[in-house]
Amino acid sequence: MERTFVMVKPDGVQRGLVGEIIARLERRGLRLVGAKFMAVSNEMAETHYGIHKGKPFYNGLIEYITSAPVMAMVWEGVNAVAAVRQTMGATRPTEAAPGSVRHDFGLEVGRNLTHASDSVENGQGEVALWFSEDELVDWKRDTDRWIFE
Ligand code: DAT
Ligand code: MG
């Protein structure tokens, strides 16, 4: 089953939106396989956002993501990567589809509430970066056959 790394960023945690965001992913039918509430080290932030190094917003991005705790999670399901990106919405909240998290709760690109892996390959890499194997739970959900065809 496809897995994706999802994070409620510091603004989402500070604004009390962790439950709301988890509820949307649960309601969508995705299955939670790992979660931890944590502070992000500078080293972790720089590894995670390595592809953005050198861009004008990079320093602000690192400062933002390390400024307060985050909720790091792994979710799985059929087309989990695309489904979660859709639930979160476009990077800029003012371009995110109505009904998406970033549209419904955000205004600014630098306070866009969540992270979600953008490809299956990056999802695998990010899951491995943020979680060890023993932090991921392999389980069968009783409703799986009513959600997965
Ligand atoms: P996404 O988080 O939708 O995958 P991304 O990977 O392109 O977007 O960028 C990572 C984060 O960096 C994004 O969530 C917010 C910030 N960011 C991206 N582009 C930005 C910009 N032009 N100005 C300020 N922050 C930006
Ligand atoms: Mg990205």
Side-chain angles (χ1 to χ4, degrees):
M1 192 76 69
E2 193 171 299
R3 288 181 170 179
T4 187
F5 172 68
V6 183
M7 169 168 52
V8 181
K9 293 174 177 177
D11 49 338
V13 171
Q14 294 287 338
R15 292 175 59 193
L17 294 171
V18 171
E20 168 75 32
I21 290 163
I22 289 176
R24 286 177 178 222
L25 296 173
E26 279 188 314
R27 194 170 65 193
R28 186 98 199 252
L30 291 149
R31 191 168 62 195
L32 184 65
V33 295
K36 56 185 171 185
F37 182 67
M38 60 184 284
V40 181
S41 67
N42 238 58
E43 191 189 356
M44 181 63 113
E46 285 174 8
T47 306
H48 176 76
Y49 281 128
I51 60 156
H52 296 301
K53 199 174 169 87
K55 293 184 184 168
F57 59 85
Y58 177 76
N59 288 344
L61 181 59
I62 298 300
E63 211 168 287
Y64 161 48
I65 212 72
T66 56
S67 63
V70 302
M71 187 70 173
M73 299 177 278
V74 178
W75 289 84
E76 72 183 355
V78 177
N79 290 321
V81 167
V84 174
R85 292 285 289 187
Q86 184 185 40
T87 291
M88 297 314 167
T91 306
R92 292 180 180 279
T94 50
E95 291 167 9
S100 65
V101 168
R102 285 165 167 176
H103 169 279
D104 290 356
F105 301 104
L107 285 171
E108 295 233 51
V109 68
R111 297 290 183 271
N112 64 2
L113 298 153
T114 57
H115 168 82
S117 307
D118 64 3
S119 69
V120 175
E121 190 190 2
N122 287 341
Q124 288 166 350
E126 291 175 357
V127 168
L129 173 67
W130 289 83
F131 286 85
S132 59
E133 251 326 299
D134 67 352
E135 290 173 324
L136 301 175
V137 183
D138 216 352
W139 62 296
K140 292 270 169 279
R141 188 174 49 181
D142 289 345
T143 51
D144 279 350
R145 70 195 178 98
W146 303 108
I147 295 166
F148 305 132
E149 199 174 329

